[in-house]
Amino acid sequence: DIQMTQSPSTLSASVGDRVTITCRASQSISGWLAWYQQKPGKAPKLLIYKASILESGVPSRFSGSGSGTEFTLTISSLQPDDFATYYCQQFNSVPYTFGQGTKLEI
Amino acid sequence: EVQLVESGGGLVKPGGSLRLSCAASGFPFSPYSMNWVRQAPGKGLEWLSSISTDDTYIFYADSIRGRFTISRDNAKNSLFLQMNSLRDEDTAVYYCARAPLRGYYFDSWGQGTLVTVSS
């Protein structure tokens, strides 16, 4: 199974900050990576797929990059609505594994 | 508008069974692969199972293989998860999720249904 490791697990930031979350795969997944945002009590929401393609309707302050085993999610200027938990997920091969999550807090 | 609505969760004793349903609307159901993902209380996301458009490809996580069965009824725009031999560690919110046509990531999710396994 491909293990996905996110860092950091918790990130403290302020409105207006630029933040980066890293996701590392235990083996190459090419660009088969997605990022999700989840708020408490809600379902996850797709932000980015194929490592860098922004899902329709997602603000352009979100961006993704990387390939192979190392990937990043960047929020260019944090907004109050962005404080949530973020997950990466590989869809290179079954089982489709998620990272453990990064909680972005004030 | 794409809608996925799960139902069938509840409280069940260890060793018991439940059948979850997911009703889809707002999009043509049959061309999409469908999936179940769960989240234990306070924990992260765990992919459980995927089913292709015509049942040709079905995949399971090791944690549920042999106990859970995924199925779909394209005529009724519905996805199912039959859960048998439930364990305490199966306690979670269960989400159905749609995979788009070119990849097993999840572009639409239901609101989730809570399954609690406890004596």
Side-chain angles (χ1 to χ4, degrees), chain B residues 32-55:
Chain B
Y32 287 85
S33 296
M34 296 298 295
N35 308 266
W36 289 99
V37 177
R38 72 182 176 186
Q39 187 169 37
K43 302 297 184 182
L45 301 167
E46 179 187 15
W47 168 83
L48 296 179
S49 183
S50 298
I51 185 168
S52 62
T53 57
D54 59 357
D55 302 356

Side-chain angles (χ1 to χ4, degrees), chain B residues 71-85:
Chain B
S71 62
R72 64 190 294 164
D73 183 338
N74 287 339
K76 296 184 177 179
N77 294 340
S78 295
L79 176 72
F80 305 101
L81 187 67
Q82 177 65 43
M83 305 188 297
N84 298 331
S85 303

Side-chain angles (χ1 to χ4, degrees), chain A residues 1-42:
Chain A
D1 297 1
I2 298 174
Q3 309 302 317
M4 305 301 293
T5 303
Q6 289 181 231
S7 60
S9 296
T10 306
L11 180 57
S12 296
S14 301
V15 172
D17 285 354
R18 178 184 179 90
V19 299
T20 297
I21 298 169
T22 297
C23 178
R24 290 187 173 87
S26 60
Q27 63 189 74
S28 178
I29 58 170
S30 186
W32 305 116
L33 185 97
W35 289 97
Y36 303 87
Q37 176 193 67
Q38 187 180 33
K39 296 181 179 179
K42 300 295 187 182

Side-chain angles (χ1 to χ4, degrees), chain B residues 51-62:
Chain B
I51 185 168
S52 62
T53 57
D54 59 357
D55 302 356
T56 302
Y57 300 103
I58 291 177
F59 305 111
Y60 295 104
D62 287 347

